[in-house]
Amino acid sequence: MSFINLEDVEKVYRTGEVETRAVDGVSFEIEQGELAIVLGPSGSGKTTMLNLLGGMDAPTGGKIVVGGQNIAAFSRNQLTKYRRSQTGFVFQFYNLVQNLTARENVELAAETSTDFIPSDEILTRVGLGERLDNFPAQLSGGEQQRVAIARALAKKPKLLLCDEPTGALDYTTGKLILKLLQSTCRESNTTVIIVTHNSAIAPMADRVVKFKNGKVSRVLYNQHPTDIDEIEW
């Protein structure tokens, strides 16, 4: 079985008599250590799917198997442990604690794990070894996103989930962040999933899952991913 396996996953929201099928019978697989890009326009269901994979929301139906465990059947406490021990999140707008330094933001996340990379070490790895004691307001957007990535990687997640990680960044800085995510995947065998609407970066992925109207419209497998340095948009 693949590391990630979704089978007929549904997420339905109901408001009175109105029913919205945000995710509608989705099935796909992702292997351990792959970099996958989930591609689709706004409102296509891709972020909802990411939240389901990360245990931040529960599906209405179907199976979500991660590392041999069907997290769709987990209790609330089991989902909390799953989020703490197996997943890391990177968001579009960083979500850093503004009155904590870069080091303290990473340490805060590491406290949820029993096996973690020291904050100074992981921040140095993402190129912020000289910015450890700076607050978010003293960092550029790209630096703040690198802190967010370091925070996610500090607890050694098996699965790194990234929701539009370059959406708030300029072209050059966005490219640096994508390079960091690509190298993280290759060097640590971490499964990385990037949700985006930017189809130009699809060649960097091992697997591309295309969403449309809450459904998977196509899955593409790339045997020879392109280095992000060679991609222009």
Side-chain angles (χ1 to χ4, degrees):
M1 181 180 289
S2 302
F3 177 63
I4 294 173
N5 193 309
L6 280 73
E7 297 181 15
D8 299 320
V9 174
E10 297 180 342
K11 181 61 182 180
V12 180
Y13 296 99
R14 293 181 176 88
T15 305
E17 297 182 0
V18 179
E19 184 177 276
T20 302
R21 306 185 74 82
V23 174
D24 190 7
V26 163
S27 299
F28 64 86
E29 299 177 352
I30 296 174
E31 299 293 341
Q32 174 71 46
E34 282 189 343
L35 189 154
I37 285 181
V38 178
L39 194 61
S42 178
S44 61
K46 58 189 189 299
T47 295
T48 301
M49 183 280 304
L50 196 76
N51 290 338
L52 295 175
L53 263 176
M56 297 177 72
D57 203 352
T60 307
K63 294 174 63 177
I64 304 175
V65 179
V66 181
Q69 295 181 302
N70 179 19
I71 66 169
F74 276 8
S75 66
R76 184 172 297 181
N77 286 341
Q78 286 175 310
L79 282 175
T80 298
K81 291 178 181 177
Y82 166 75
R83 289 192 300 269
R84 286 178 175 175
S85 63
Q86 296 193 48
T87 64
F89 294 90
V90 178
F91 303 97
Q92 179 176 350
F93 295 108
Y94 328 132
N95 289 359
L96 301 179
V97 181
Q98 294 300 306
N99 62 345
L100 298 181
T101 65
R103 176 192 280 121
E104 291 167 342
N105 265 280
V106 175
E107 288 175 343
L108 184 65
E111 287 179 1
T112 66
S113 175
T114 56
D115 181 23
F116 58 87
I117 302 170
S119 58
D120 289 17
E121 179 184 334
I122 192 63
L123 282 165
T124 299
R125 192 183 299 179
V126 300
L128 294 175
E130 297 183 357
R131 307 286 267 165
L132 302 175
D133 295 316
N134 287 87
F135 292 94
Q138 298 171 316
L139 301 172
S140 68
E143 288 172 332
Q144 289 186 64
Q145 192 61 294
R146 279 187 277 168
V147 174
I149 292 171
R151 178 181 61 187
L153 293 176
K155 57 181 184 177
K156 301 180 183 179
K158 296 178 181 177
L159 178 60
L160 183 62
L161 302 168
C162 310
D163 189 6
E164 298 281 6
T166 63
L169 304 174
D170 62 77
Y171 170 80
T172 301
T173 306
K175 219 170 184 185
L176 290 172
I177 293 301
L178 291 173
K179 185 175 180 65
L180 176 58
L181 292 173
Q182 191 175 51
S183 62
T184 295
C185 179
R186 291 175 177 174
E187 294 168 9
S188 66
N189 201 38
T190 302
T191 303
V192 178
I193 300 178
I194 301 173
V195 161
T196 184
H197 63 273
N198 184 3
S199 59
I201 69 172
M204 72 178 283
D206 298 292
R207 194 181 303 256
V208 179
V209 182
K210 294 187 176 182
F211 265 69
K212 185 177 182 180
N213 298 326
K215 299 177 181 288
V216 171
S217 60
R218 194 175 183 188
V219 178
L220 303 174
Y221 181 69
N222 184 8
Q223 291 186 324
H224 304 287
T226 303
D227 192 285
I228 191 62
D229 287 332
E230 300 175 18
I231 298 176
E232 302 289 341
W233 66 88

